[in-house]
Amino acid sequence: MPATRTGPATRTGPAAALVLVSALAAFGLGPAATPAAAATVPVGSGSYSDTRPAGTSGPTTNTGAPVTPKVTSAAKDKPVPTNDWWTSLAFQRYGDNPYSTPMYGHPLTYQATAGGLEVGYPTTPAIVGEGRQYEYAHKRDLTLGITGLNSPDTKADDWSDWTVTPYWSDGARTLRTTIGHGLPFVYAKGSGGNAQITTAAAPTVFADQGNVLGITVAGHHYALFAPSGSDWTVSGSTVTAGLGTKDYFSLAVLPSTDALAMYKKYAYSFVTGSKASWSYTGGTVNATYTLTTEAKEGTERGTLQALYRHQWLNTTDALTPYTYVSPRGTMKVREATSFTTSQKASAVLPALPKTNAVDTARLRGYLDAVANDPDPFKGYTDTYWTGKVLGQLAQLVPVADQIGETATRDKLLALMKGRLQDWFTAGGANEFSYDQVWKTLTGYPASYGSDTELNDHHFHYSYYVYAAAIVAQYDQAWAADSAWGGMVKTLVRDAANPSRTDSAFPFLRGFDVYAGHSWASGHQGFAAGNNQESSSESINLSAGLVLLGSATGDTALRDLGTYLLTTESEAIAQYWFDADQQVFPSAFGHDTVGMVWGSGAAYATWWTANPEEIHGINALPLTGGSLHLGGEKAAIRRNIAEMERENGGLAVEWRDILWEFQALADPASAKSKWDAGNAGYTPEQGESKAHTYHWISTLDTLGAPDATVTGDIPSSAVFTKGTVRTYAAHNYGATARTVTFSDGKTLTVPARSTATGTGTGGGDPDPGPDPEPPTGNTFQLRTGGVLTTAAGGTAGADTIASAAGANYDGTPHQPLVYEIKKVNGTLAPGAATAFRLQLDAGTTVGLGQQARISYDLTGDGTFDRTETYQYFATDPVTGWEEYTQSRGLKSATGTLGDLKGGTVRLEVWNAIGNGTATLQTGTDRSVLVIPFS
């Protein structure tokens, strides 16, 4: 969907066809071909133009004037990564601002001005827009510059995966800085004057060590570092230091004044670049984020970097006690040049698998309504809306195949091929055109600023890639590079290029590897930074890459998609849905957002305030790539509940999208709504009754996705209903294969087929958190030591006594005890104890809380089964953290059986540390779930 609206259209000049032909050959898209004409570049069976169609426009300013990349001569040949957190440095969308709009690096914020780089550290959120948006807006604490600097503009001089180097020159003075995501430092090189820091108000000096100065501005602590032998001088709001024969200096925002010594250690180890690398193996995605450095003084080459929540939740690397505030929640500081994350890969299937729950005749009727539509593309001609229809058709091809409707399947495939080939051939009413200046491929007719602002390419092209992946599943020859696959991969290179050496397209144009998600605006020209609304359409591209790579045997493309999908799924859970309720400010008052901004997030869309679309825009399109959403069922429930509150009732306009979304957590509830409301509604433009019926009926039968178990190929998934897990996988290979899942189960899948089953062999070595429990076996905690199945309690908190520096790992010490007696229940085969406990250690370092659950099966006073879980190390940041059974059992004694007037007891204590912690009571966020019905 749109990132912003467009301005008037103008036209710029042609590109160089031969350059692109060579580049295509170099990056595996088939043999280079000599263009048949100067304006046409052949790629396999297809082609694109190197000149825009008459009357159309490329990138412009907001007044419609053509604009070229604002980069230095050193960077003039590098493809500019539009759609980034800092892109306003290079894309001058607003003609009267030759510097930049605010850039949100986190924890620091920046804005380029004539005199240098404004730096801020916003720590207090504002709730604006009638409570619909929270923002940590950029506010200058200080400006870093060179004395006398008055530059007419700021240009991008260099960049890497998540850092950028702005450059200023006024002819007599120069300034070059390096800034980035997660960097607490700003690194500077200057000439023609002294280092100068101009503060927003007179600073307070808390440390003066000559060339190292600690100052406090607006309540934020900064350290200034000049070369050895120089000295900082404070005069009102101006702080200067001579550079002597050197040209470097730096500053850092400190988490506290006592951190000065640690930050001083790394002040002269200048970051020169950043790089993410990834791998996929056996159901797990590993990624390493590395900074390169240069020692300006001494030999220290280490550094400090702040990790976002989606990163530190998935790393086992050591972190310091230091933290920062950000719009994405707490950032934690690591003392190293790299860190590694590890995540279970997000599941992808070409379609939900076949079940007996689907009425074949009914589904056939729904399919026929789409396949026999006299205007299947609904008159759409632009890239986005054409793509939406391609997505609609692609979802139905495997569904038709499942029920033996091969004629319908082939008719849908023919519709998709015909429209794709139309777009993949230059010279017609629609085509793709390459811009040599901006090094981008744009589809015309364009929409939502995909041409003038370079917005949304990953959204639009996701549908073409996904549709091509489905075609490739049934017709590999069509998807060969020498046929139409070359054009598909050219779109991939524009939107998600994995190469850093491709001279024709930038590296991962839309995807921000450090932020963990994509950005939609091509120019980033907003006070709130960049933005992304429809995170699910970004996911649609990643899922398409997984399926396309799997279908064509391109494992590098498959693994790229798996990395992007898995990484962004965690970012979506945290930053769009606030899954752990640790990101959104408490005053915000919403459980989800429609849009994430550099400065925060908004309960809004670009085009409407309708709650249905605010809640649905980050779900559509619902495909086999949407299963990751089912990993956060509580967040989906909160999301749907809020939508219905805000909407004043059930969904009306986007009911199918919201039914399908709800089915990822509560299939039975979604099925009930479908049964009641499927007769009289119009499907959302990218949906169909055929797909919605199949989706909801299938999940009602199989259960919701179970993200705790993964298969050893990306095209696999697990579903859980009650105590039964169903394993599914699609095998793209030419021979049968056995897929092994992380709980030890296996599934044999025939060649080029999807198979399902309850799995064979194996145990359950990695069950992860249990699915949401059924009513009746879930107990809330009440202050006073009570466990109860009653809901509607009043939130409270109990204090957990200190371990007083001793080690009580495994042995309860002054525990909080919660108990319920006279419990009857039948043991559920294969089930296990589950719990969610909300804990907070405040700002105390080094605490660890532990839980023990005990069962007295007959109420005779003797506990027949005792389970002690590994302790949970809480962080020294105020705010609730969740301790669950997924930490794993430390020990267990006895055997479970049926409860007959029995007693269930929960004990919680501090296993280590020297300080108290608190345990939340009275809410459904702290619960014990027993494995009984």
Side-chain angles (χ1 to χ4, degrees):
M1 298 303 289
T4 182
R5 298 300 179 185
T6 63
T10 60
R11 185 177 180 191
T12 59
L18 289 174
V19 173
L20 264 293
V21 173
S22 299
L24 291 169
F27 290 94
L29 299 184
T34 301
T40 301
V41 181
V43 182
S45 299
S47 60
Y48 60 86
S49 172
D50 71 349
T51 305
R52 282 190 296 276
T56 64
S57 179
T60 66
T61 67
N62 60 313
T63 62
V67 64
T68 57
K70 191 159 59 77
V71 299
T72 65
S73 59
K76 65 181 176 62
D77 294 326
K78 293 180 62 175
V80 174
T82 56
N83 308 74
D84 216 330
W85 67 273
W86 56 264
T87 303
S88 61
L89 278 170
F91 194 142
Q92 189 178 339
R93 175 66 178 162
Y94 296 95
D96 59 351
N97 181 6
Y99 305 104
S100 81
T101 54
M103 301 173 288
Y104 292 82
H106 306 146
L108 291 172
T109 62
Y110 315 96
Q111 185 165 6
T113 67
L117 183 69
E118 286 187 1
V119 179
Y121 174 41
T123 52
T124 303
I127 309 300
V128 299
E130 299 180 337
R132 299 172 74 87
Q133 183 167 348
Y134 77 85
E135 60 179 12
Y136 293 77
H138 168 68
K139 183 178 180 181
R140 181 180 80 94
D141 283 343
L142 51 85
T143 301
L144 179 152
I146 295 292
T147 53
L149 179 65
N150 184 22
S151 180
D153 58 24
T154 310
K155 297 184 172 108
D157 187 54
D158 196 11
W159 50 83
S160 58
D161 286 9
W162 62 89
T163 67
V164 64
T165 300
Y167 178 82
W168 295 255
S169 175
D170 62 8
R173 290 158 289 266
T174 65
L175 174 67
R176 190 178 189 270
T177 65
T178 296
I179 56 179
H181 278 319
L183 297 188
F185 286 95
V186 176
Y187 308 96
K189 292 180 65 177
S191 66
N194 295 328
Q196 177 175 283
I197 307 295
T198 307
T199 57
T204 300
V205 176
F206 66 82
D208 188 347
Q209 302 171 13
N211 68 319
V212 177
L213 187 72
I215 61 173
T216 301
V217 182
H220 303 141
H221 309 300
Y222 291 90
L224 314 180
F225 305 98
S228 297
S230 57
D231 190 15
W232 290 102
T233 300
V234 180
S235 177
S237 297
T238 302
V239 186
T240 57
L243 298 177
T245 61
K246 310 297 185 182
D247 65 355
Y248 55 83
F249 61 105
S250 66
L251 68 77
V253 62
L254 303 180
S256 62
T257 55
D258 64 7
L260 178 60
M262 174 182 282
Y263 281 66
K264 178 181 177 181
K265 177 181 178 182
Y266 300 109
Y268 302 98
S269 176
F270 277 36
V271 167
T272 57
S274 56
K275 185 176 182 180
S277 59
W278 56 85
S279 64
Y280 168 82
T281 305
T284 299
V285 174
N286 294 309
T288 300
Y289 301 86
T290 303
L291 295 171
T292 55
T293 61
E294 174 188 6
K296 292 295 187 182
E297 292 187 8
T299 59
E300 180 58 62
R301 296 291 300 273
T303 193
L304 300 165
Q305 51 190 320
L307 278 62
Y308 283 115
R309 180 175 182 81
H310 75 276
Q311 295 169 326
W312 58 255
L313 281 173
N314 293 291
T315 188
T316 57
D317 292 343
L319 303 174
T320 73
Y322 295 120
T323 62
Y324 290 105
V325 173
S326 88
R328 308 292 179 256
T330 300
M331 299 183 80
K332 298 188 177 185
V333 177
R334 175 158 167 79
E335 186 179 11
T337 56
S338 70
F339 64 91
T340 296
T341 60
S342 182
Q343 294 175 254
K344 290 183 176 180
S346 295
V348 186
L349 291 172
L352 294 184
K354 181 179 180 180
T355 69
N356 293 327
V358 174
D359 183 302
T360 300
R362 185 178 186 182
L363 180 57
R364 184 184 301 115
Y366 287 146
L367 286 167
D368 288 345
V370 177
N372 298 327
D373 189 328
D375 182 16
F377 285 89
K378 304 176 177 65
Y380 296 137
T381 60
D382 67 284
T383 46
Y384 180 73
W385 290 102
T386 299
K388 289 272 287 186
V389 179
L390 286 169
Q392 177 204 47
L393 301 177
Q395 292 166 17
L396 298 182
V397 168
V399 171
D401 192 47
Q402 282 179 14
I403 62 171
E405 290 295 313
T406 55
T408 300
R409 176 200 68 192
D410 293 344
K411 186 173 185 179
L412 295 171
L413 284 168
L415 285 171
M416 292 161 60
K417 288 179 181 179
R419 191 52 55 101
L420 287 169
Q421 290 168 199
D422 225 10
W423 276 91
F424 291 165
T425 304
N430 35 53
E431 68 175 26
F432 287 96
S433 171
Y434 183 77
D435 186 320
Q436 174 67 26
V437 176
W438 283 96
K439 303 195 185 305
T440 187
L441 194 74
T442 302
Y444 293 93
S447 50
Y448 304 121
S450 60
D451 50 354
T452 57
E453 301 178 12
L454 301 186
N455 298 333
D456 300 357
H457 283 203
H458 60 311
F459 293 167
H460 295 209
Y461 301 172
S462 74
Y463 292 103
Y464 295 75
V465 173
Y466 197 99
I470 295 298
V471 173
Q473 180 179 333
Y474 294 90
D475 187 348
Q476 287 184 308
W478 183 94
D481 291 346
S482 58
W484 297 99
M487 277 300 297
V488 180
K489 288 186 178 179
T490 307
L491 266 65
V492 172
R493 288 169 63 217
D494 179 80
N497 187 11
S499 172
R500 296 176 182 82
T501 58
D502 187 340
S503 61
F505 297 97
F507 171 69
L508 295 180
R509 180 186 304 280
F511 192 80
D512 186 328
V513 293
Y514 204 86
H517 60 81
S518 298
W519 297 110
S521 168
H523 57 78
Q524 187 261 309
F526 303 97
N530 213 325
N531 70 90
Q532 177 160 266
E533 182 182 65
S534 180
S535 60
S536 48
E537 288 181 303
S538 181
I539 286 288
N540 195 45
L541 175 61
S542 303
L545 297 177
V546 175
L547 299 180
L548 180 64
S550 298
T552 60
D554 187 337
T555 56
L557 192 65
R558 180 202 70 182
D559 293 355
L560 167 67
T562 305
Y563 164 68
L564 298 178
L565 173 62
T566 302
T567 304
E568 192 155 21
S569 68
E570 180 73 80
I572 292 167
Q574 298 300 325
Y575 311 140
W576 274 260
F577 297 145
D578 197 17
D580 298 335
Q581 298 182 296
Q582 297 290 308
V583 174
F584 297 172
S586 58
F588 179 50
H590 293 283
D591 290 314
T592 191
V593 295
M595 307 168 69
V596 163
W597 287 89
S599 65
Y603 184 78
T605 72
W606 276 108
W607 78 99
T608 183
N610 178 4
E612 296 185 30
E613 288 156 288
I614 293 172
H615 286 262
I617 190 57
N618 286 290
L620 65 79
L622 276 299
T623 74
S626 306
L627 303 180
H628 70 96
L629 294 169
E632 301 292 350
K633 296 178 179 62
I636 293 177
R637 293 183 181 120
R638 292 194 300 268
N639 195 306
I640 295 295
E642 181 180 17
M643 184 280 295
E644 293 178 352
R645 289 195 307 270
E646 294 280 337
N647 206 42
L650 300 177
V652 177
E653 294 182 28
W654 275 14
R655 63 182 77 178
D656 46 358
I657 297 298
L658 293 160
W659 290 336
E660 291 176 86
F661 182 41
Q662 185 172 16
L664 293 168
D666 295 310
S669 296
K671 178 69 160 48
S672 176
K673 291 176 179 176
W674 159 264
D675 288 341
N678 71 76
Y681 80 97
T682 301
E684 187 270 336
Q685 293 96 321
E687 261 300 338
S688 64
K689 287 191 175 183
H691 179 258
T692 303
Y693 170 62
H694 180 271
W695 180 274
I696 292 173
S697 300
T698 301
L699 290 177
D700 184 51
T701 300
L702 299 180
D706 184 347
T708 68
V709 181
T710 55
D712 63 359
I713 61 172
S715 53
S716 58
V718 178
F719 304 87
T720 297
K721 184 172 185 177
T723 59
V724 178
R725 279 179 176 155
T726 298
Y727 302 82
H730 186 85
N731 174 15
Y732 285 91
T735 58
R737 68 164 296 164
T738 298
V739 178
T740 301
F741 291 83
S742 59
D743 62 357
K745 296 286 187 177
T746 60
L747 178 70
T748 299
V749 189
R752 306 198 189 287
S753 301
T754 297
T756 60
T758 54
T760 59
D764 199 1
D766 188 16
D770 283 359
E772 292 296 317
T775 302
N777 61 354
T778 301
F779 299 94
Q780 292 187 16
L781 287 57
R782 295 285 190 267
T783 295
V786 174
L787 292 174
T788 176
T789 57
T794 301
D798 291 345
T799 301
I800 307 172
S802 171
N807 188 325
Y808 295 104
D809 184 10
T811 304
H813 170 72
Q814 298 181 24
L816 296 174
V817 180
Y818 303 87
E819 192 171 87
I820 185 169
K821 296 183 177 181
K822 299 181 181 179
V823 180
N824 295 305
T826 302
L827 182 63
T833 304
F835 58 85
R836 298 189 298 268
L837 302 176
Q838 307 302 314
L839 299 166
D840 182 23
T843 58
T844 305
V845 177
L847 297 192
Q849 292 78 50
Q850 196 157 28
R852 183 168 78 176
I853 294 94
S854 302
Y855 297 89
D856 173 358
L857 298 177
T858 60
D860 65 359
T862 300
F863 285 100
D864 304 281
R865 168 74 171 178
T866 300
E867 301 171 358
T868 304
Y869 290 82
Q870 301 286 357
Y871 71 76
F872 177 75
T874 39
D875 65 30
V877 180
T878 300
W880 297 113
E881 299 176 80
E882 188 167 87
Y883 174 25
T884 74
Q885 79 286 343
S886 63
R887 292 291 299 165
L889 273 172
K890 178 179 177 64
S891 63
T893 60
T895 304
L896 281 171
D898 294 347
L899 281 165
K900 299 175 181 178
T903 299
V904 180
R905 175 183 291 174
L906 165 68
E907 299 166 275
V908 184
W909 69 97
N910 268 313
I912 59 171
N914 194 355
T916 61
T918 51
L919 171 62
Q920 187 181 82
T921 61
T923 77
D924 61 2
R925 297 189 61 220
S926 280
V927 295
L928 170 65
V929 185
I930 63 173
F932 296 83
S933 58

